[in-house]
Structures are given as C-alpha cells and as structure tokens.
Amino acid sequence: MIGYFSGTGNSLYAAKKLAELTGDRALSLADIMSQPEHLPHRRFGIVFPVYFGDVPEPVRDFIAEAPLDKGTYFFGIATCGGTGGRTLRTLSRLLQKRGCDLAYGLILPMIANSTVASRRHINYDMNRLDKADDILHDCADDIRRQVRDDSEVTGSLAAAVMNFGPLRSFGNYWLTPSVDTKKCVSCHICSKICPVDNIQSTPSGAVIGPHCSRCLACLHWCPHQAVTVHGKTVLPQDQYHHPDVTIRDMMVR
C-alpha cells in the first residue's frame, strides 16, 4: 500500500507511478484514514511534498493517528522543488514514536509550486520530471526487494531555521491563499480538490477555512485565477500542476 498527500500532483503522480512499478495500490492518506481496513500492510509507503524543509502537518497527523503495524516495511518518498531539508529525519522520528521503523527514505526532486509567492513569469524546468521518472524506476526496484537505506535521513540547519517561531509564522503568512471574490464564480473546484477539506463553496464565493496546509492546490488549479497568495494574483502561465495529473485525479480521494 502507498499513501500520498498531494496538492498540485507531484506526490500523487509519484505514488501512482511507484504503485504501477511495484504492483501495489496508491490511495490518498485521507482515503486510508476513512477506511482503516486498508492498514496494516506488510509494506507501506508514504509519498508527500516537503514543506518548509520538513513534513507537512497532514502527514504528521496521519502517522500519529493511523493504525500502523510495527512489523511493516515502511518507506518514505519526499518530493521537493529544492532540497529535502530534515524531512526524512522527522518522518523517521514520527514513526519511531509509534514503535515503527523507516526502512527506506528518498528525496525526489520535482518542481516547486511555491515559487509563485515571490516570482512572476516562471520558467518551470519540466526536465526534472523526466529525471524523477528514472529515479522512481530505481526506487521501485529497491522497494520490491525491501532494501534498507537511510542515507538520506539527515538533519538540516536551514530547515531548523525555517521552522523557528517567527520565521515559520512569516512563512505561513507568505504561503496562505485567499480568495478574490470579484473573480470567484463558485465553480467548486477548489473545495473539491483541497486535500484537507478546508474550503467551502458558497453562492458568494469560495471561503478558505483556518486549517490550511498551504499546499496551494486551490491557487494552481483555479481556472479563473481567483485564488491569490498574500494578495498577489497569479498569472495563468505561472500556475503549475503535474502535466500527467488532472483535476479529476485530484478529486478522487
């Protein structure tokens, strides 16, 4: 079983690709939590993006609450646009608190979706996705053989700084989306794709709740550019989602 958390499709794509290569099944973490009979498994992987050089809150919550089996071979794949920070070390420690062991960890470079918060006219390097496919093929072979590899389970001073009180608060502000009600047509797309069910569609426009994971799915998938980040409208050409992932894929969770 492979569980994933994804906003703009990188981790969803990676999870499904791994499932295809290993003969496994990929489900969102939300689906797994709603159907606990999916766990435990002899082999279980978690695929998710790096946020602030660390593990996103929804993934932390899943590990804290899911019915995990101590005898499971656990692996973690962290997708990122830059570096992996201390993500895998945090993942390992979270599993240890549950009496489990992270047997295999991998940082998978893909494309950052947070660049829109600070730049315009972005030239996304799509070649990174082809390289990611090559890495996933090798990774799938390791997982099938249940290889143990913790070489990428490391700490990061930069991640520690990013997650320090005031700096993390500023980062949260910088990446918190809001809705431009003049552009919003209540198409319901953002509410259906939000991986933490934090958006409600109303006749007067979408309303973003207080439990945002800052995955920016709503911002990148909005066809009307009605979702802004710290008040900044995102250009259509700067919206990013994995080219092999559709809105329908994101809604199936």
Side-chain angles (χ1 to χ4, degrees):
M1 176 65 65
I2 301 174
Y4 64 85
F5 172 76
S6 186
T8 49
N10 285 337
S11 295
L12 184 155
Y13 174 84
K16 290 193 171 183
K17 188 67 175 180
L18 270 181
E20 173 190 324
L21 294 170
T22 59
D24 218 324
R25 184 183 182 192
L27 288 174
S28 73
L29 297 183
D31 275 345
I32 294 173
M33 284 303 293
S34 68
Q35 304 175 60
E37 64 271 16
H38 289 309
L39 291 173
H41 261 258
R42 177 181 59 85
R43 182 176 71 198
F44 185 74
I46 306 178
V47 185
F48 59 92
V50 175
Y51 289 174
F52 301 102
D54 217 327
V55 176
E57 286 300 322
V59 179
R60 293 172 183 262
D61 293 341
F62 173 84
I63 296 173
E65 300 169 10
L68 305 180
D69 189 331
K70 297 178 182 179
T72 298
Y73 171 85
F74 286 99
F75 61 93
I77 312 297
T79 63
C80 67
T83 65
R86 64 184 185 186
T87 306
L88 293 178
R89 188 181 72 171
T90 298
L91 180 63
S92 178
R93 290 180 174 178
L94 291 171
L95 287 170
Q96 287 174 3
K97 289 181 180 179
R98 296 296 310 278
C100 302
D101 174 46
L102 180 64
Y104 185 94
L106 176 72
I107 300 297
L108 182 64
M110 296 185 82
I111 292 177
N113 69 7
S114 60
T115 312
V116 292
S118 56
R119 287 173 50 195
R120 295 168 70 87
H121 305 292
I122 304 165
N123 183 23
Y124 293 112
D125 182 8
M126 305 304 282
N127 291 328
R128 290 170 67 94
L129 301 181
D130 294 331
K131 295 176 183 177
D133 268 4
D134 294 337
I135 296 172
L136 286 170
H137 275 83
D138 293 339
C139 174
D141 183 57
D142 287 341
I143 290 169
R144 283 194 300 267
R145 295 185 291 115
Q146 295 199 4
V147 169
R148 298 187 65 87
D149 185 353
D150 63 355
S151 59
E152 295 196 63
V153 181
T154 61
S156 167
L157 178 59
V161 171
M162 280 191 290
N163 286 278
F164 174 71
L167 289 178
R168 179 57 188 267
S169 294
F170 177 76
N172 287 343
Y173 154 75
W174 192 250
L175 293 177
T176 297
S178 57
V179 178
D180 183 343
T181 55
K182 294 180 180 179
K183 292 184 177 181
C184 182
V185 299
S186 298
C187 67
H188 306 287
I189 287 175
C190 59
S191 62
K192 291 179 179 179
I193 64 172
C194 177
V196 293
D197 293 323
N198 187 54
I199 303 177
Q200 292 185 340
S201 289
T202 72
S204 58
V207 177
I208 299 176
H211 305 296
C212 180
S213 66
R214 297 168 185 88
C215 71
L216 301 184
C218 55
L219 182 149
H220 284 283
W221 289 99
C222 178
H224 306 286
Q225 292 76 53
V227 182
T228 66
V229 60
H230 59 82
K232 173 184 174 183
T233 299
V234 175
L235 299 174
Q237 59 267 35
D238 287 340
Q239 290 178 304
Y240 167 81
H241 59 78
H242 195 286
D244 294 324
V245 173
T246 67
I247 289 179
R248 185 177 295 274
D249 294 330
M250 297 300 300
M251 290 180 179
V252 179
R253 54 182 177 82

